[in-house]
Amino acid sequence: MRTQVSFARRGREAAPYLFIAPFFVLFATFGLYPLLRTAWLSLHRWDLLAGPVEFTGLANYARLFADPFFYNALANTASIFLVGAVPQLVAALGIAALLDRPLRGRTAWQAVVLLPNVVPVVAVALVFTQLFMRDHGLVARILSALGAGPLDWQAHAWSAHLGVAIMVLWRWTGYHALLYLAAMQSVPRELHEAAALDGASRARSFRSVTLPGIRPTLLFTAVVSTIGGVQLFTEPRLFGGTSTGGNDRQFQTLVMYLHERGFEQLDAGYAATISWVLFALCALVALGNTALVRRLVGRW
Amino acid sequence: MRRAPGALAGPALLLVLVASLFPLYWSVVVASHDGASTSTGALPLLPGGELVDHVRAVFEAVDFRAALANSAIVAVTVTASNVLLSTLAGFAFAHLRFRGRRALLGLVVGSVMVPAQLGVVPLFELMGWLGWYGDLAAVVAPGLVSAFGVFWMRQACREAVPRELVDAARVDGCSSVRIWWHVVLPAVRPQAVVLAMLTFLAAWNDFFWPLVVLDPVESPTVQVALSHLAGGYYTDYPLVLTGAVLGTAPVVVLFALPARRLIAGLRRVPVDR
Amino acid sequence: MQRAGVGRALVCLVAAALVAAGCGTSGAGGGGRVRLTVATFGEFGYEPLFEEYERAHPEVDVVGRVTDFDTHHRGLITALATGRGAADVVAVEEQYMPRLRRSARRFADLAAFGADRLRERWPRWKWEQGVADGGRVVFALGTDMGSLAMCYRRDLFERAGLPTDRDRVAALWPTWEAYAEVADRFAERVADARFADSAGTVYTAVLNQAEENYFAKADDSFIGDTNPNVRRAFGIAGAIAAKGRTAKVTTFTPEWNVAINRGAFATVTCPAWMLAQIREAGGAAGAGRWDVTAVPGGGGNWGGSYLAVPAQGAHQREAYRLAEWLTAPEQQEELFVRSGILPSEPEVYRDPVVLGHTDPYFGGAPVGALFAASSDRVRPNHRGIRDADVRPVFGRALGRVEDGAQDVAQAWEQAVREAHDLIG
């Protein structure tokens, strides 16, 4: 009898660890190990092909913090993110609100909204480069029909950032909308009903019931999309066709710069340094957001 | 009762529909014309009649059947594993008490920040040591569970499963595994379905890693096969976009048909508490 | 009940898929046959040759892997860096050769299999790009080359009141300075098309005619800022760009394809391998509108590839035999006649079949003789180890001039500064 109880208790104590073990084992192998190895690389002059040349300590970091291209990439990354983030948040919330109501074939709608995320990246790049072609693209024609001259999207920083942001926006808005929708559906209906009984307008009810109800999700997606923003690579890389992002690096993001250094100039040590600075940036974002979550939602 | 949709809902939904579908529609348009008409910059707005020929050409140019099968294996495995393992860990973080929980959860949140594609070279080395180069395992293994999934399911467990319910089950003598299975899983199914859809998409669409670690001839996924199609000096847009449409269609069908029944079935489970 | 069933099925599926995924192994084909993979990019035209080789060598299976330029080279570098995953025979484009030479030990020394006896197949400059350690190690064998000609639109030349006959066109531009003057004449008469596709192609052509560009032949030091060859090329291409004589389309982009199709530019410096792309982009309607003639300033080279055998391969000797066969004159000739891929071996481009080859799409131009003549005049062009890092810096500078963001002097100054920072 006694042994049975202690066996059960021990099982109960071990259970949580067993539940979380698969995640941590896999993370340690495929996430942490590469990260640590990258840290080791960043302390060396390390040629991607020839291997370690010499141990240089923090020299790569010193070089990076004095590197104007690094700051340029940092500014571009931030700019593209900001240009895209606000419209994306508003659009995703709007779509989620539209779908969070009696609607025929809501599941089909969900699928439609998610569709941009299904289209292969290669196809997205081809389609958007065609749409944005300087002289003969559809957008160029619409612009010229409206009386504006042809726009060379890639030639100016602002238009290149806008173009990339549009691609990101198109690909990810539906994704975030679905996250919001899932959260909205778990907001208790009674709250909406109570608000309706009190004579609250739809907009009012959305503001004072729905939004607070999905706040954790809002913050979570804010974190996820900021991290996605910091790591932006595919869209601008395919948009310009090179890792430098335009003739004056006007839309080179941090990860593009990392690729240029690592895979084109074979400077693996420097690329690893950029990786770690990126990681630190993401961690800062995470800490900031964690503080926010704590303040707004209480304890973990 | 919720109120009827407002007057603007219709047009707004239409806009969403057009914006979502247009680029895909455009892919079909390009895919169904011959190469010359796309390089004239003439921008045909309606589909042409060459789609069937291009489909045949795609199947001749690459082993698209194998690519579809490989992508399906990867996406299904990764999805199933992610949902199960994330729910398991998410439940533990949401409702079980154990030492180091906060610190470990912090680690999960922190690892959302680990930029996945930045460790390409070390990860590639690792796959070499494991003997997984060119093997689907190299794509499947790193995707089996994600920090995103764990965090997402933890939120879901907190929102959808009241603590009292867990406590009550425990008083009834349920083990943690039984609570997970009988109480938590049914309650978080809407969020689990969302996670499944998102994971499936991400796995299906993963591009850079499979391209690095898989053999484009021996073990292509759809994305790898597509880059193979685009491999010539001269990019044959109709061919590549036909491949893209072929690679997208199964996912669309999957979401539009069975997922619909699946989600409808799930919704019958009362979510209200 | 039903629920539990689904869940259990999922668990089983994960387990089964993991097992299945872990079991598939690549390696030797069945029946003791050796399986050789050949990784190339773009169009090498090798597929029929593989079949031919398999027929002659029943014990060998040859499998081709084709990806795009970037994917191919990034994949190759990753595989070389980690010692896994490279094909048995890999193609390497010229611009990657200096970097790979530094790590020649990642490749099999083909001299050990007898490659040093093949030296006479290639002109000296081509052979020397594939050797390391002062010629003791042979790590790559030459395939094609990109000797330059000039492709031009007869219809646009006619509208501009310029001659259209290819010899008279060639006589218009003995030098690049003369080419720039023809561009001015063209612009006076034709408003809806530009003379060249981009400043970058002009620049590359001028630069590649010089023996030294960014790095000194003697000690590989950076001389890009002082070398008159670089300044001249930059000045010529920059002036053409600043005057708006280019269509501002980057080679191989969708815009470039559309520009070809619509006749948005009248000339483009074209290595042999570019003819196929012009044909594809131009479509049937473009047949006979284009023609090919000599490039200003004599010959020149743009691009060209090599085959190498990574040292990590399990069948290096067999891989060498295949690479040796693929680069042998007979096969090179076949590739040229069938796919227009220009051999880098003098013996082949002096062959009557090659010399007599014409291209009906380009108005029946004698492309065999043209490219062969151009090949004869290719001067070895020293590429420093960091050439590929510096080259794009100057290319982007010309892009800024085309974008209207900077004038030629500003662009040059920024390029030199960036190049210095890069070299360190």
Coordinates of all heavy atoms in Angstrom, one line a residue, chain A residues 47-51 68-69 126 129-130 132-136 141 152 154-156 233 237 240-241 244 246-250 259-266, chain C residues 70 74 76-78 80-81 96 99-100 102-103 105-106 247-249 254-255 258-259 262 386 389 393 395-400 403 406 414 418 421-422:
Chain A
D47 N 37.7 30.7 -42.2 CA 37.3 30.6 -43.6 C 36.3 29.4 -43.7 O 36.6 28.4 -43.2 CB 38.5 30.4 -44.4 CG 38.2 30.4 -45.9 OD1 37.8 29.4 -46.4 OD2 38.3 31.5 -46.6
L48 N 35.2 29.7 -44.4 CA 34.2 28.6 -44.5 C 34.8 27.4 -45.1 O 34.5 26.3 -44.7 CB 33.0 29.1 -45.4 CG 31.8 28.2 -45.4 CD1 31.3 27.9 -44.1 CD2 30.7 28.8 -46.3
L49 N 35.7 27.5 -46.1 CA 36.2 26.3 -46.7 C 37.5 25.8 -46.0 O 37.7 24.6 -45.8 CB 36.5 26.6 -48.2 CG 35.3 26.6 -49.1 CD1 35.8 26.9 -50.5 CD2 34.5 25.3 -49.0
A50 N 38.4 26.7 -45.7 CA 39.7 26.3 -45.2 C 39.6 26.0 -43.7 O 40.5 25.3 -43.2 CB 40.7 27.4 -45.5
G51 N 38.6 26.5 -43.0 CA 38.5 26.2 -41.6 C 39.1 27.3 -40.7 O 39.3 28.4 -41.2
P68 N 29.9 50.0 -41.1 CA 28.7 50.8 -41.5 C 27.7 49.9 -42.2 O 26.5 50.2 -42.2 CB 29.3 51.8 -42.5 CG 30.7 51.4 -42.8 CD 31.2 50.5 -41.7
F69 N 28.1 48.9 -42.9 CA 27.1 48.0 -43.6 C 26.2 47.3 -42.6 O 25.1 47.0 -42.9 CB 27.8 47.0 -44.5 CG 28.6 47.6 -45.6 CD1 29.6 46.9 -46.2 CD2 28.2 48.8 -46.2 CE1 30.3 47.4 -47.3 CE2 28.9 49.4 -47.2 CZ 30.0 48.7 -47.8
L126 N 8.4 35.0 -58.0 CA 8.2 35.2 -59.4 C 7.0 36.1 -59.7 O 7.1 37.0 -60.5 CB 8.0 33.9 -60.1 CG 9.2 33.0 -60.3 CD1 8.9 31.7 -61.0 CD2 10.3 33.7 -61.1
T129 N 7.8 39.8 -58.5 CA 8.7 40.5 -59.4 C 8.0 40.9 -60.7 O 8.3 41.9 -61.3 CB 10.0 39.7 -59.7 OG1 9.7 38.3 -59.9 CG2 11.0 39.8 -58.6
Q130 N 7.1 40.0 -61.2 CA 6.4 40.3 -62.4 C 5.5 41.5 -62.2 O 5.4 42.4 -63.0 CB 5.6 39.1 -62.9 CG 6.4 38.2 -63.8 CD 5.5 37.5 -64.7 OE1 4.4 37.0 -64.3 NE2 5.9 37.2 -65.9
F132 N 5.7 43.8 -60.0 CA 6.5 45.0 -59.7 C 7.5 45.4 -60.8 O 8.3 46.3 -60.6 CB 7.3 44.9 -58.4 CG 6.4 44.9 -57.2 CD1 6.8 44.3 -56.0 CD2 5.1 45.5 -57.2 CE1 6.0 44.3 -54.9 CE2 4.3 45.5 -56.1 CZ 4.8 44.9 -54.9
M133 N 7.4 44.8 -62.0 CA 8.4 45.1 -63.0 C 8.3 46.6 -63.3 O 7.2 47.2 -63.4 CB 8.1 44.3 -64.3 CG 8.9 43.0 -64.3 SD 9.1 42.4 -65.9 CE 7.5 41.6 -66.2
R134 N 9.5 47.2 -63.5 CA 9.5 48.7 -63.7 C 8.7 49.2 -64.9 O 8.0 50.1 -64.8 CB 11.0 49.1 -63.8 CG 11.2 50.6 -63.9 CD 12.6 50.9 -64.2 NE 13.1 50.3 -65.4 CZ 14.3 49.8 -65.6 NH1 15.2 49.9 -64.7 NH2 14.6 49.3 -66.8
D135 N 8.9 48.5 -66.0 CA 8.4 49.1 -67.2 C 7.0 48.5 -67.6 O 6.1 49.1 -68.2 CB 9.3 49.0 -68.4 CG 10.6 49.7 -68.1 OD1 10.5 50.8 -67.5 OD2 11.7 49.2 -68.5
H136 N 6.9 47.2 -67.4 CA 5.8 46.5 -67.9 C 4.9 45.8 -66.9 O 4.0 45.0 -67.2 CB 6.2 45.5 -69.0 CG 7.1 46.1 -70.0 ND1 6.6 46.9 -71.0 CD2 8.4 46.0 -70.2 CE1 7.6 47.3 -71.8 NE2 8.7 46.8 -71.3
R141 N 1.6 49.7 -64.7 CA 0.5 50.2 -65.6 C -0.6 50.9 -64.8 O -1.1 51.9 -65.3 CB -0.1 49.0 -66.3 CG 0.8 48.5 -67.3 CD 0.2 47.5 -68.2 NE 1.3 46.9 -68.9 CZ 1.1 46.0 -69.8 NH1 -0.1 45.6 -70.1 NH2 2.1 45.5 -70.5
D152 N 10.7 52.7 -60.4 CA 11.7 51.7 -60.3 C 11.8 51.3 -58.8 O 12.5 51.9 -58.0 CB 13.0 52.3 -60.8 CG 14.1 51.2 -60.9 OD1 13.8 50.1 -60.5 OD2 15.1 51.5 -61.5
Q154 N 13.1 49.1 -57.0 CA 14.3 48.7 -56.3 C 15.3 49.8 -56.2 O 16.3 49.8 -55.4 CB 15.0 47.5 -57.0 CG 14.1 46.3 -56.9 CD 14.8 45.1 -57.5 OE1 16.0 45.1 -57.8 NE2 14.0 44.1 -57.9
A155 N 15.1 50.9 -57.0 CA 16.1 51.9 -57.0 C 16.2 52.8 -55.8 O 17.2 53.4 -55.5 CB 16.0 52.8 -58.3
H156 N 15.0 53.0 -55.2 CA 14.9 53.9 -54.0 C 14.7 53.1 -52.7 O 14.0 52.1 -52.8 CB 13.8 54.9 -54.2 CG 13.7 55.4 -55.6 ND1 14.5 56.4 -56.0 CD2 12.9 55.1 -56.6 CE1 14.2 56.7 -57.3 NE2 13.2 55.9 -57.6
F233 N 14.6 37.6 -44.7 CA 15.6 37.2 -45.7 C 15.0 36.9 -47.0 O 15.3 37.5 -48.0 CB 16.4 36.0 -45.1 CG 17.4 35.5 -46.1 CD1 18.5 36.2 -46.5 CD2 17.2 34.2 -46.7 CE1 19.4 35.7 -47.4 CE2 18.0 33.7 -47.6 CZ 19.2 34.4 -48.0
R237 N 15.6 38.9 -50.5 CA 16.6 38.2 -51.3 C 16.1 37.9 -52.7 O 16.8 38.1 -53.7 CB 17.0 37.0 -50.6 CG 17.9 36.0 -51.4 CD 19.3 36.6 -51.5 NE 20.2 35.7 -52.2 CZ 20.2 35.5 -53.5 NH1 19.3 36.1 -54.3 NH2 21.1 34.7 -54.1
G240 N 15.3 41.2 -55.0 CA 16.4 41.9 -55.7 C 17.3 40.9 -56.4 O 18.1 41.3 -57.3
G241 N 17.2 39.6 -56.1 CA 18.1 38.7 -56.8 C 19.5 38.6 -56.3 O 20.2 37.7 -56.8
T244 N 22.9 41.6 -51.7 CA 23.3 42.9 -51.3 C 22.1 43.9 -51.3 O 22.1 44.9 -50.7 CB 24.3 43.6 -52.2 OG1 24.1 43.1 -53.5 CG2 25.7 43.2 -51.8
G246 N 20.1 45.6 -53.7 CA 20.2 46.9 -54.4 C 21.6 47.4 -54.6 O 22.5 47.0 -53.9
N247 N 21.7 48.4 -55.4 CA 23.0 48.9 -55.8 C 23.7 49.7 -54.7 O 24.9 49.9 -54.7 CB 22.9 49.9 -57.0 CG 22.6 49.1 -58.3 OD1 23.1 48.0 -58.4 ND2 21.7 49.6 -59.1
D248 N 22.9 50.2 -53.7 CA 23.5 50.9 -52.6 C 23.1 50.2 -51.3 O 23.0 50.9 -50.3 CB 23.1 52.4 -52.6 CG 24.1 53.3 -52.0 OD1 25.2 52.8 -51.7 OD2 23.8 54.5 -51.8
R249 N 22.9 48.9 -51.4 CA 22.4 48.2 -50.2 C 21.2 48.8 -49.6 O 21.0 48.7 -48.4 CB 23.6 48.1 -49.2 CG 24.8 47.4 -49.7 CD 25.9 47.5 -48.7 NE 27.2 47.0 -49.3 CZ 27.5 45.7 -49.1 NH1 26.8 44.9 -48.4 NH2 28.6 45.3 -49.7
Q250 N 20.3 49.3 -50.4 CA 19.2 50.1 -49.9 C 18.2 49.2 -49.3 O 17.3 49.6 -48.5 CB 18.6 51.1 -50.9 CG 18.1 50.4 -52.1 CD 19.1 50.4 -53.3 OE1 20.3 50.2 -53.0 NE2 18.7 50.5 -54.5
H259 N 24.4 36.4 -45.1 CA 24.6 35.4 -46.2 C 25.8 35.9 -47.1 O 26.6 35.2 -47.6 CB 23.4 35.3 -47.0 CG 22.6 34.1 -46.6 ND1 22.4 33.0 -47.3 CD2 21.9 33.8 -45.4 CE1 21.7 32.1 -46.7 NE2 21.4 32.6 -45.5
E260 N 25.8 37.3 -47.3 CA 26.8 37.8 -48.2 C 28.2 37.5 -47.6 O 29.1 37.0 -48.3 CB 26.6 39.3 -48.3 CG 27.6 39.9 -49.3 CD 27.7 41.5 -49.2 OE1 26.9 42.1 -48.5 OE2 28.5 42.0 -49.9
R261 N 28.3 37.8 -46.3 CA 29.6 37.5 -45.7 C 30.0 36.0 -45.6 O 31.1 35.6 -45.9 CB 29.6 38.1 -44.2 CG 29.7 39.6 -44.2 CD 31.0 40.1 -44.7 NE 31.1 41.5 -44.5 CZ 32.2 42.2 -44.7 NH1 33.3 41.6 -45.3 NH2 32.3 43.5 -44.5
G262 N 29.0 35.2 -45.2 CA 29.2 33.8 -45.0 C 29.4 33.0 -46.2 O 30.4 32.3 -46.4
F263 N 28.4 33.1 -47.1 CA 28.3 32.2 -48.2 C 29.0 32.7 -49.5 O 29.3 32.0 -50.4 CB 26.9 31.7 -48.5 CG 26.4 30.7 -47.5 CD1 25.6 31.1 -46.5 CD2 26.8 29.4 -47.6 CE1 25.2 30.2 -45.5 CE2 26.4 28.5 -46.7 CZ 25.6 28.8 -45.6
E264 N 29.1 34.1 -49.6 CA 29.7 34.6 -50.8 C 31.2 35.0 -50.5 O 32.0 34.7 -51.4 CB 28.9 35.8 -51.3 CG 27.6 35.4 -51.9 CD 26.6 36.5 -52.1 OE1 27.0 37.6 -52.2 OE2 25.4 36.1 -52.2
Q265 N 31.4 35.6 -49.4 CA 32.8 35.9 -49.1 C 33.5 34.9 -48.2 O 34.7 35.0 -47.9 CB 32.9 37.3 -48.5 CG 32.4 38.4 -49.4 CD 32.2 39.8 -48.8 OE1 32.6 40.0 -47.7 NE2 31.7 40.7 -49.6
L266 N 32.7 33.8 -47.8 CA 33.3 32.7 -47.1 C 33.9 33.0 -45.8 O 34.7 32.3 -45.3 CB 34.3 31.9 -48.0 CG 33.8 31.5 -49.4 CD1 34.9 30.7 -50.1 CD2 32.5 30.8 -49.4
Chain C
D70 N 23.0 30.1 -58.0 CA 23.2 30.3 -56.6 C 23.1 29.1 -55.7 O 24.0 28.8 -54.8 CB 22.2 31.4 -56.0 CG 22.6 32.8 -56.5 OD1 23.8 33.0 -56.8 OD2 21.7 33.6 -56.6
R74 N 26.2 27.6 -53.5 CA 26.0 27.6 -52.1 C 26.1 26.2 -51.5 O 26.7 25.9 -50.5 CB 24.7 28.3 -51.7 CG 24.7 28.6 -50.2 CD 23.4 29.3 -49.8 NE 22.2 28.6 -50.3 CZ 21.2 29.2 -50.9 NH1 21.2 30.4 -51.1 NH2 20.2 28.4 -51.3
L76 N 27.4 23.6 -52.9 CA 28.8 23.0 -53.1 C 29.7 23.5 -52.0 O 30.4 22.7 -51.4 CB 29.3 23.5 -54.5 CG 30.8 23.1 -54.7 CD1 30.9 21.6 -54.8 CD2 31.3 23.7 -56.0
I77 N 29.6 24.8 -51.7 CA 30.5 25.3 -50.6 C 30.1 24.7 -49.2 O 31.0 24.3 -48.5 CB 30.4 26.9 -50.6 CG1 31.2 27.4 -51.8 CG2 30.9 27.4 -49.3 CD1 31.0 28.8 -52.1
T78 N 28.8 24.6 -49.0 CA 28.4 24.0 -47.7 C 28.9 22.6 -47.6 O 29.5 22.1 -46.6 CB 26.9 24.0 -47.6 OG1 26.4 25.2 -47.9 CG2 26.4 23.6 -46.2
L80 N 31.5 21.2 -49.2 CA 32.9 21.2 -49.1 C 33.3 21.5 -47.7 O 34.2 20.9 -47.1 CB 33.6 22.1 -50.1 CG 33.5 21.8 -51.6 CD1 34.0 22.9 -52.5 CD2 34.2 20.4 -51.9
A81 N 32.6 22.5 -47.1 CA 33.0 23.0 -45.8 C 32.8 21.9 -44.8 O 33.6 21.8 -43.8 CB 32.2 24.2 -45.4
Y96 N 34.2 31.4 -59.1 CA 34.4 30.8 -57.8 C 35.8 30.1 -57.8 O 36.2 29.6 -56.7 CB 33.3 29.7 -57.6 CG 32.1 30.3 -57.0 CD1 31.1 30.7 -57.9 CD2 31.9 30.4 -55.7 CE1 29.9 31.3 -57.4 CE2 30.7 31.0 -55.2 CZ 29.7 31.4 -56.0 OH 28.6 32.0 -55.6
R99 N 38.6 31.3 -55.2 CA 38.3 31.0 -53.9 C 38.5 29.5 -53.6 O 39.0 29.1 -52.6 CB 36.9 31.3 -53.5 CG 36.7 32.8 -53.3 CD 35.3 33.2 -53.0 NE 34.6 33.3 -54.2 CZ 33.4 33.9 -54.3 NH1 32.8 34.4 -53.3 NH2 32.8 34.0 -55.5
L100 N 38.1 28.7 -54.6 CA 38.2 27.2 -54.4 C 39.7 26.8 -54.5 O 40.1 25.8 -53.9 CB 37.3 26.5 -55.4 CG 35.8 26.7 -55.1 CD1 35.0 25.8 -56.1 CD2 35.5 26.4 -53.7
R102 N 42.2 28.2 -53.2 CA 42.7 28.3 -51.9 C 42.5 27.0 -51.1 O 43.2 26.7 -50.2 CB 42.0 29.5 -51.1 CG 42.8 30.7 -51.2 CD 42.2 31.7 -50.2 NE 40.7 31.9 -50.4 CZ 39.9 32.7 -49.8 NH1 40.4 33.5 -48.8 NH2 38.7 32.9 -50.1
S103 N 41.4 26.3 -51.4 CA 41.1 25.1 -50.6 C 41.1 23.9 -51.6 O 40.2 23.1 -51.5 CB 39.7 25.3 -50.0 OG 39.7 26.3 -49.1
R105 N 42.7 21.4 -51.5 CA 42.8 20.1 -50.9 C 41.4 19.5 -50.6 O 41.3 18.3 -50.3 CB 43.6 20.2 -49.6 CG 42.9 21.0 -48.5 CD 43.8 21.3 -47.4 NE 43.2 22.3 -46.5 CZ 42.2 22.0 -45.6 NH1 41.9 20.7 -45.4 NH2 41.7 22.9 -44.9
R106 N 40.4 20.3 -50.8 CA 39.0 19.7 -50.7 C 38.6 18.9 -51.9 O 37.6 18.3 -51.9 CB 38.0 20.8 -50.5 CG 38.2 21.7 -49.3 CD 37.5 21.2 -48.1 NE 37.7 22.1 -47.0 CZ 37.4 21.7 -45.7 NH1 36.9 20.5 -45.5 NH2 37.6 22.6 -44.7
A247 N 19.2 50.4 -71.2 CA 17.8 50.1 -70.8 C 17.7 49.7 -69.3 O 16.6 49.5 -68.8 CB 17.3 48.9 -71.6
K248 N 18.8 49.7 -68.6 CA 18.8 49.5 -67.1 C 18.2 48.2 -66.7 O 17.4 48.1 -65.8 CB 18.2 50.7 -66.4 CG 18.8 52.0 -66.7 CD 18.4 53.1 -65.7 CE 17.1 53.7 -66.1 NZ 16.7 54.8 -65.2
V249 N 18.4 47.2 -67.5 CA 17.9 45.8 -67.1 C 19.1 44.9 -66.8 O 20.0 44.8 -67.5 CB 17.0 45.2 -68.2 CG1 15.7 45.9 -68.3 CG2 17.7 45.3 -69.6
P254 N 13.6 39.0 -65.0 CA 12.4 39.0 -65.9 C 12.4 40.3 -66.8 O 12.0 40.2 -67.9 CB 11.3 39.0 -64.9 CG 11.8 38.4 -63.6 CD 13.3 38.7 -63.6
E255 N 12.8 41.4 -66.2 CA 12.8 42.6 -67.0 C 13.7 42.5 -68.2 O 13.4 43.0 -69.3 CB 13.4 43.8 -66.1 CG 12.4 44.4 -65.2 CD 12.5 43.8 -63.8 OE1 13.0 42.7 -63.7 OE2 12.0 44.5 -62.9
V258 N 11.9 40.5 -70.8 CA 10.9 41.3 -71.5 C 11.5 42.3 -72.4 O 11.0 42.5 -73.6 CB 10.0 42.0 -70.5 CG1 9.0 42.9 -71.1 CG2 9.2 40.9 -69.7
A259 N 12.6 42.9 -72.0 CA 13.3 43.9 -72.8 C 13.8 43.3 -74.1 O 13.7 43.9 -75.1 CB 14.4 44.5 -72.0
R262 N 10.7 42.7 -76.3 CA 10.1 44.0 -76.9 C 11.1 44.8 -77.6 O 10.7 45.9 -78.1 CB 9.6 44.8 -75.7 CG 8.6 44.0 -74.9 CD 7.7 45.0 -74.2 NE 6.3 44.7 -74.3 CZ 5.3 45.5 -74.0 NH1 5.5 46.7 -73.7 NH2 4.1 45.0 -74.1
R386 N 40.5 37.4 -54.2 CA 39.3 38.0 -53.7 C 38.6 38.8 -54.8 O 37.8 39.6 -54.6 CB 39.7 39.0 -52.6 CG 40.4 38.3 -51.4 CD 40.2 38.9 -50.1 NE 38.8 39.0 -49.8 CZ 38.3 39.7 -48.7 NH1 39.2 40.2 -47.9 NH2 37.1 39.7 -48.4
D389 N 34.9 39.0 -54.6 CA 34.4 39.9 -53.6 C 34.3 41.3 -54.1 O 33.4 42.1 -53.8 CB 35.2 39.8 -52.3 CG 35.2 38.4 -51.7 OD1 34.3 37.6 -52.0 OD2 36.1 38.1 -50.9
V393 N 31.3 45.1 -56.2 CA 31.3 46.4 -55.6 C 31.3 47.4 -56.8 O 30.6 48.4 -56.8 CB 32.6 46.6 -54.8 CG1 32.8 48.1 -54.4 CG2 32.5 45.8 -53.5
G395 N 30.4 46.8 -59.9 CA 29.1 46.6 -60.7 C 28.0 47.4 -60.1 O 27.2 48.0 -60.8
R396 N 27.9 47.4 -58.7 CA 26.8 48.1 -58.1 C 27.0 49.6 -58.2 O 26.1 50.4 -58.3 CB 26.8 47.8 -56.6 CG 26.2 46.4 -56.3 CD 25.8 46.3 -54.8 NE 27.0 46.4 -53.9 CZ 27.7 45.4 -53.6 NH1 27.5 44.2 -54.1 NH2 28.7 45.5 -52.8
A397 N 28.3 50.0 -58.3 CA 28.6 51.5 -58.5 C 28.0 51.9 -59.8 O 27.4 53.0 -59.9 CB 30.1 51.7 -58.4
L398 N 28.2 51.1 -60.9 CA 27.6 51.5 -62.2 C 26.1 51.5 -62.1 O 25.4 52.3 -62.7 CB 28.1 50.5 -63.2 CG 29.5 50.8 -63.6 CD1 30.0 49.6 -64.5 CD2 29.7 52.1 -64.4
G399 N 25.5 50.5 -61.3 CA 24.1 50.5 -61.1 C 23.6 51.8 -60.5 O 22.5 52.3 -60.8
R400 N 24.4 52.4 -59.5 CA 23.9 53.6 -58.9 C 23.9 54.8 -59.9 O 23.1 55.6 -59.9 CB 24.9 54.0 -57.7 CG 24.7 53.0 -56.6 CD 25.4 53.6 -55.3 NE 26.8 53.7 -55.4 CZ 27.7 52.7 -55.1 NH1 27.3 51.6 -54.8 NH2 29.0 53.0 -55.3
D403 N 20.8 54.2 -61.9 CA 19.6 54.6 -61.0 C 19.5 56.1 -60.9 O 18.5 56.6 -60.5 CB 19.8 54.0 -59.6 CG 19.6 52.5 -59.5 OD1 19.0 52.0 -60.5 OD2 19.9 51.9 -58.5
Q406 N 23.9 58.6 -58.3 CA 25.2 59.2 -58.2 C 25.8 59.5 -59.6 O 25.3 59.0 -60.6 CB 26.2 58.2 -57.5 CG 25.9 58.0 -56.1 CD 26.9 57.0 -55.4 OE1 27.5 56.3 -56.1 NE2 27.0 57.1 -54.1
Q414 N 33.0 55.9 -54.2 CA 32.5 55.0 -53.2 C 32.9 53.6 -53.4 O 33.2 52.9 -52.4 CB 30.9 55.1 -53.2 CG 30.3 54.3 -52.1 CD 28.7 54.4 -52.1 OE1 28.2 55.4 -52.5 NE2 28.1 53.4 -51.7
E418 N 34.8 51.2 -50.7 CA 34.2 49.9 -50.3 C 35.2 48.8 -50.5 O 35.4 47.9 -49.7 CB 32.9 49.6 -51.0 CG 31.7 50.4 -50.5 CD 30.4 50.1 -51.2 OE1 30.3 48.9 -51.7 OE2 29.5 50.9 -51.1
D421 N 37.9 48.9 -47.9 CA 37.4 48.3 -46.6 C 37.3 46.8 -46.6 O 37.6 46.1 -45.7 CB 36.0 48.9 -46.3 CG 36.1 50.4 -45.9 OD1 37.2 50.8 -45.7 OD2 35.0 51.0 -45.9
L422 N 36.9 46.3 -47.8 CA 36.6 44.9 -48.0 C 38.0 44.1 -47.9 O 38.1 43.1 -47.2 CB 36.0 44.7 -49.3 CG 35.3 43.4 -49.5 CD1 34.2 43.2 -48.5 CD2 34.6 43.4 -50.9

